Amino acid sequence: MSQNKHSVSRRNLLRLSAAGLAVPSALLSAACSREMTRKGEGEVVVIGGGFGGAAAAKYLKRYNPKINVTLIEPKKAYVTCPASNWVIGGLVEMEEITHTYDGLKKHGVNVMHEVVSSVDPQKRVVTLSDGQKVNYDRLIVSPGIDFKWGVHEGVDEDVANIIPHAWKAGDQTRLLRDQLRSMRQGGTFVMVAPPNPFRCPPGPYERAGMVAHYLSKHNPTANILILDQKNKFSKQALFMEGWRNNYGQMIEWVAAMDGGTVFGIDVANKIIDADYGEVKADVINYIPAQKAGVLADQMGLTDESGFCPVNQQTFESKVHHNIHVIGDAAMAGPMPKSGHSAVSQAKICAANVVQSLAELDPISAKNANTCYSLITPDYAISVAAVYDVKDKQIVPVEGAGGVSRMNASLQEYRMEANYTRGWYKSITDEVWG
Amino acid sequence: MIKRKLIVAGLLTIAALPASAVDRGELLANSCFSCHGYDGKATGGAIPPLGEYPASLIVSQMKAYRDGTRNGTIMNRHARGYTDEEIELLAKYIGKQGI
Ligand SMILES: Cc1cc2nc3c(=O)[nH]c(=O)nc-3n(C[C@H](O)[C@H](O)[C@H](O)COP(=O)(O)OP(=O)(O)OC[C@H]3O[C@@H](n4cnc5c(N)ncnc54)[C@H](O)[C@@H]3O)c2cc1C
């Protein structure tokens, strides 16, 4: 271990900390010799402060407070994608879906607001974009997703400033909300929905309902067209029923095989060339096809699918030892890419990192997921599942899970809307509180 | 009492296996926190907190949701994911939280 090179010397670090600057203990102890690490303790670095990474950092400290946990995330405040559709619909404000890292710091996590530029899996060193190096015994990576551009003619990364995806929350959410608000009366809002796999399978359809909610109040003659790049979608029957009951004919969904397939977009004139014909839009919400966050690719953690193969019990990468991948970037059997899944995986992964540092066998528990979707502020539906590991594969527990009841009472859908908000409050407090 | 001692003795022999650094009951119970709040202490939302529930009530309610004698919007779908053993382990852990 002593051959590890450190860009910051131990003496300088001590001087920094003496000067009252917070020095992450991973840096400090990286400068110490690793032999000092006692069994069960160690340095764990977590990359990405989203649902997966932030939850992993918090639960690592919960399971073994003696482990030094460093979370590396560039943003000082994280805006959740969950509930960002509610912002677009005008139900909540951006501030209500923005969370800082103060809670994690209180739980003893060292938080560094930096970008990771590379990782050396042999030397077990993370290099930050400013050149700093951080050593680890175990690394957890939860970089989320990135987009596949260049799939459709006329559509590259730069178009997001004109036709927002709003599939990473923040400025993109605001932009789409503002475009919706300034759309002409009777205009057409077109969503290009992505092919599988993508983060939050019911997300595009929840968004359609939230856009309809806004329009029915402020622009009732407008309409919504969804050009889908696939032929079916999550909770489809429940969404269709909910749209009809609440918004009549306002939302039209076109399957890929019925003309939804898009060939290209004339971004300047907002004209979409689809199988269906040419569509003139007033607002375009183009949600691109997706792959694991680029860092995962750069680290060599992905396979040809664009996502990361992992051990289904411990989430350790099948490519690099001592590196675990969770959340949207990981291939976790049939688990949907959701915040709830990411948090579930984070706990099981954190527990297994704690086990491995203590030189103990892997521990198994059950993963769980729930995706709630609001159709109106008082009408929501859900899909849930509980997962087990069988023959090294994540599989849904038979008989468990499933979707909300069809043709349920309005009372029941209203209760689900209240539970949707309860879920949001609980999970964001669990992760960032 | 005697019976209990025997069971404990039985467990001890199995416990020649390496101990776990993470309690499995805790790990199972943690999966309820995303809805019921961290440590089961949801506040201000519509989902009931579990923090103050005795273990026995968690067990009976989970089993009621699982076999359909109690109906909820979502709990039946979750409860059916767990075995008796898992329900007892997680309930024992949650039961401790109330103290
Ligand atoms: C509109 C919408 C609605 C959604 N609604 C729901 C919902 O209701 N329920 C639900 O469960 N899920 C929902 N989701 C899905 C949910 O947002 C994702 O599944 C979840 O964010 C995945 O967590 P993650 O940790 O994998 O990635 P993220 O939460 O995206 O976190 C990744 C983090 O990694 C950081 N990062 C990336 N690269 C680097 C680097 N090189 N160095 C340092 N940091 C880096 C990023 O800054 C980011 O903060 C929704 C998604 C969308 C788009």
Side-chain angles (χ1 to χ4, degrees):
Chain A
M1 296 302 134
S2 51
Q3 75 269 31
N4 277 329
K5 300 231 169 25
H6 309 288
S7 61
V8 194
S9 77
R10 176 165 169 77
R11 198 193 299 152
N12 278 339
L13 279 170
L14 290 176
R15 213 182 288 145
L16 277 173
S17 55
L21 288 169
V23 177
S25 60
L27 278 177
L28 267 179
S29 53
C32 305
S33 110
R34 274 236 185 88
E35 280 87 303
M36 283 169 62
T37 307
R38 267 183 285 146
K39 192 176 156 190
E41 300 174 21
E43 297 295 334
V44 182
V45 174
V46 182
I47 305 177
F51 279 87
K58 182 158 172 183
Y59 277 94
L60 280 164
K61 286 306 271 188
R62 179 185 174 107
Y63 295 144
N64 186 353
K66 288 190 182 143
I67 294 175
N68 276 317
V69 180
T70 301
L71 176 67
I72 309 175
E73 161 63 49
K75 294 188 289 277
K76 295 227 162 72
Y78 177 88
V79 182
T80 62
C81 285
S84 67
N85 287 330
W86 313 349
V87 172
I88 292 166
L91 278 55
V92 299
E93 296 296 327
M94 289 296 284
E95 296 72 50
E96 296 169 72
I97 65 164
T98 305
H99 306 272
T100 69
Y101 293 91
D102 296 347
L104 284 157
K105 290 178 198 159
K106 264 191 279 173
H107 286 274
V109 175
N110 312 307
V111 182
M112 298 177 81
H113 292 297
E114 303 284 349
V115 175
V116 171
S117 59
S118 67
V119 173
D120 182 333
Q122 268 73 46
K123 295 205 177 95
R124 287 189 268 158
V125 185
V126 173
T127 303
L128 309 181
S129 59
D130 65 358
Q132 282 186 87
K133 293 185 192 298
V134 188
N135 285 49
Y136 64 84
D137 297 310
R138 288 270 166 171
L139 180 67
I140 299 177
V141 189
S142 190
I145 51 120
D146 268 297
F147 301 115
K148 291 183 182 166
W149 298 103
V151 174
H152 296 122
E153 211 179 316
V155 185
D156 60 21
E157 204 164 345
D158 298 330
V159 307
N161 298 320
I162 307 164
I163 53 169
H165 49 76
W167 221 246
K168 288 187 180 186
D171 291 341
Q172 279 280 308
T173 313
R174 272 191 209 95
L175 183 59
L176 186 61
R177 177 195 63 187
D178 295 347
Q179 288 189 359
L180 174 65
R181 288 187 181 175
S182 50
M183 187 168 89
R184 74 176 169 88
Q185 287 297 309
T188 303
F189 181 103
V190 182
M191 172 191 290
V192 178
N196 291 323
F198 63 104
R199 74 164 24 157
C200 197
Y205 315 97
E206 181 190 53
R207 176 171 294 170
M210 288 291 94
V211 169
H213 171 72
Y214 176 84
L215 292 176
S216 57
K217 286 208 294 192
H218 303 284
N219 192 347
T221 55
N223 52 75
I224 300 165
L225 177 65
I226 306 171
L227 297 173
D228 215 320
Q229 306 312 293
K230 55 193 173 299
N231 290 322
K232 53 181 202 240
F233 63 88
S234 169
K235 297 184 266 188
Q236 183 164 345
L238 283 159
F239 270 115
M240 298 281 206
E241 179 194 48
W243 291 342
R244 239 187 347 264
N245 289 347
N246 293 287
Y247 305 117
Q249 303 296 313
M250 188 180 257
I251 302 171
E252 185 188 353
W253 176 76
V254 185
M257 63 179 171
D258 295 330
T261 305
V262 167
F263 303 116
I265 303 179
D266 173 351
V267 173
N269 296 305
K270 299 223 165 87
I271 295 170
I272 302 172
D273 178 14
D275 202 9
Y276 183 82
E278 281 203 342
V279 180
K280 174 79 181 99
D282 292 278
V283 173
I284 300 176
N285 174 207
Y286 176 82
I287 306 170
Q290 293 160 34
K291 57 183 184 180
V294 288
L295 179 70
D297 218 15
Q298 288 162 2
M299 288 172 66
L301 295 168
T302 53
D303 68 10
E304 62 284 351
S305 73
F307 292 93
C308 306
V310 293
N311 174 307
Q312 305 283 283
Q313 185 182 11
T314 63
F315 293 93
E316 186 171 15
S317 164
K318 288 194 170 165
V319 183
H320 294 308
H321 277 307
N322 304 319
I323 300 183
H324 299 246
V325 188
I326 54 173
D328 290 352
M331 289 193 271
M335 290 184 77
K337 300 187 184 304
S338 73
H340 198 143
S341 293
V343 170
S344 172
Q345 294 160 12
K347 293 172 217 182
I348 294 181
C349 176
N352 277 293
V353 165
V354 168
Q355 289 287 106
S356 77
L357 287 174
E359 292 167 24
L360 297 170
D361 288 340
I363 181 170
S364 57
K366 278 178 169 159
N367 274 296
N369 176 60
T370 314
C371 292
Y372 278 112
S373 306
L374 287 183
I375 290 177
T376 79
D378 299 314
Y379 187 121
I381 56 177
S382 59
V383 56
V386 180
Y387 302 91
D388 206 352
V389 178
K390 286 233 167 81
D391 301 328
K392 300 186 174 173
Q393 296 302 316
I394 295 178
V395 290
V397 176
E398 259 179 72
V403 299
S404 306
R405 267 182 284 269
M406 278 288 282
N407 303 308
S409 64
L410 285 179
Q411 166 67 11
E412 187 159 326
Y413 293 131
R414 181 189 297 269
M415 282 167 75
E416 287 226 89
N418 290 332
Y419 295 143
T420 303
R421 286 179 278 267
W423 169 86
Y424 182 81
K425 202 165 183 300
S426 288
I427 200 167
T428 52
D429 180 62
E430 177 188 23
V431 178
W432 288 279
Chain B
M1 201 59 206
I2 290 166
K3 200 169 162 195
R4 192 188 184 111
K5 266 192 190 141
L6 283 175
I7 293 170
V8 172
L11 282 176
L12 282 178
T13 34
I14 308 170
L17 295 167
S20 183
V22 179
D23 176 48
R24 193 153 156 263
E26 177 177 4
L27 187 54
L28 285 161
N30 290 160
S31 103
C32 319
F33 294 1
S34 298
C35 291
H36 288 283
Y38 194 60
D39 281 330
K41 295 186 172 120
T43 50
I47 303 178
L50 298 176
E52 309 293 327
Y53 276 60
S56 58
L57 197 58
I58 302 274
V59 171
S60 66
Q61 296 313 297
M62 283 294 279
K63 289 186 176 170
Y65 280 128
R66 203 177 53 182
D67 66 25
T69 47
R70 185 174 174 187
N71 252 318
T73 56
I74 202 154
M75 271 316 292
N76 306 77
R77 290 181 263 159
H78 276 285
R80 286 195 299 265
Y82 300 92
T83 63
D84 282 354
E85 186 225 2
E86 289 165 338
I87 289 175
E88 273 149 34
L89 281 172
L90 68 84
K92 219 177 278 170
Y93 184 81
I94 294 172
K96 273 200 306 218
Q97 301 289 295
I99 307 158

